[in-house]
Amino acid sequence: MTTTGRHQDRTALVTGGSRGIGRAVAGRLAREGALVAVHYGHDHTAAERTVKEIEADGGRAFAIHAELGVPGDAATLWDAFDRALAARDAAPGVDIVVNNAGITLPRPIEHVTEEDYDRVFAINTKAPYFILQQALGRIRDGGRIITVSSGATRIAYPAIATYTMTKAALDSLTLSLALQLGPRGITVNSVAPGFTETEINPTLQNPQIRQALAAASVFNRLGAPADIADVVSFVASDEARWVTGQWIDATGGVHLGL
């Protein structure tokens, strides 16, 4: 089955789209025809590199900046998005929203400060909540909302308990929005990666940790950002029109035997 043109004439927003899973998702959606807004919080160079890679591959993309986890972040993001579309003479509105941006907090609960807690929730939970709130008036009927969750919300992993809580909250929001937006033909789903090779996980620099995490998958390897992007692209497509309110395991079968 070919997926060429799967997202033709659609507009997508990918938060945290300059690196890791977000970069792979932005590239995949663009290759399949979408005009992609590549959001970034701090790394302008990485965002521009992602846009240039997409354009070199024949796709269409533009970068937008908004620091997340600060007051007014969602409004700043959508204002940049709206202005960028207008500058391109593109139709206003959005068809696909991928909430991907986030930070990790690799500390057990006894070492988490209130400042740590507030920051990870501000970026990982509060920001996407209000991004989606302000997306409701922009997203077209038949649109797609996809949150990048985590396999850790279904597996006890004390080392990142606080991070996991931020993702579990969004899984719950997925259910509520799926019911609310169903009458408009909008699907809302969570895609949950497992141990994936991205910059967000500095422990992967340790060969022993890499080996242990790879062994958790039935495929005995770490996930690649492209593995997750492929799943997101499907969920964002018309082929997934009958799938909503779901938590989609994209962990590579982590801990299936336990």
Side-chain angles (χ1 to χ4, degrees):
M1 170 179 148
T2 178
T3 58
T4 302
R6 173 189 258 176
H7 302 300
Q8 196 67 42
D9 301 323
R10 302 175 97 188
T11 301
L13 165 69
V14 181
T15 67
S18 66
R19 296 185 296 173
I21 291 172
R23 178 184 178 188
V25 169
R28 178 65 188 259
L29 296 178
R31 282 195 301 276
E32 295 173 343
L35 169 62
V36 181
V38 177
H39 159 263
Y40 70 98
H42 299 284
D43 197 337
H44 173 77
T45 300
E48 287 298 322
R49 182 176 64 243
T50 300
V51 168
K52 288 178 181 177
E53 288 172 350
I54 288 172
E55 292 175 339
D57 201 29
R60 300 172 300 145
F62 56 90
I64 58 171
H65 172 254
E67 181 182 354
L68 302 186
V70 298
D73 49 8
T76 299
L77 183 150
W78 283 115
D79 180 62
F81 177 88
D82 293 342
R83 286 187 287 106
L85 286 184
R88 299 175 65 97
D89 292 324
V94 66
D95 301 286
I96 302 166
V97 178
V98 182
N99 261 320
N100 166 76
I103 61 172
T104 188
L105 187 62
R107 299 177 193 169
I109 187 170
E110 60 267 27
H111 298 305
V112 174
T113 66
E114 287 191 28
E115 182 180 4
D116 293 333
Y117 181 98
D118 289 343
R119 181 168 183 264
V120 73
F121 266 86
I123 295 172
N124 290 10
T125 307
K126 183 179 179 180
Y129 178 95
F130 284 101
I131 288 169
L132 292 182
Q133 180 197 68
Q134 295 182 35
L136 297 184
R138 293 175 169 87
I139 192 165
R140 300 182 182 97
D141 290 356
R144 302 286 184 263
I145 294 173
I146 301 155
T147 290
V148 177
S149 180
S150 171
T153 65
R154 299 295 191 275
I155 300 167
Y157 197 42
I160 56 169
T162 313
Y163 164 82
T164 301
M165 289 171 63
T166 68
K167 295 297 187 178
L170 294 179
D171 290 346
S172 179
L173 180 62
T174 289
L175 293 174
S176 296
L177 285 180
L179 183 60
Q180 177 179 338
L181 299 177
R184 294 179 55 191
I186 297 169
T187 68
V188 189
N189 292 287
S190 295
V191 172
F195 302 116
T196 308
E197 187 132 28
T198 69
E199 300 94 329
I200 198 173
N201 192 348
T203 63
L204 294 180
Q205 302 303 315
N206 183 312
Q208 291 180 319
I209 293 177
R210 284 180 63 88
Q211 182 178 1
L213 296 183
S217 164
V218 299
F219 302 116
N220 197 34
R221 70 170 175 86
L222 295 172
D227 295 324
I228 314 307
D230 290 352
V231 178
V232 171
S233 177
F234 166 71
V235 176
S237 74
D238 187 58
E239 295 111 294
R241 61 192 175 277
W242 205 237
V243 179
T244 195
Q246 299 304 301
W247 185 88
I248 299 169
D249 187 307
T251 67
V254 165
H255 295 319
L256 277 182
L258 298 180

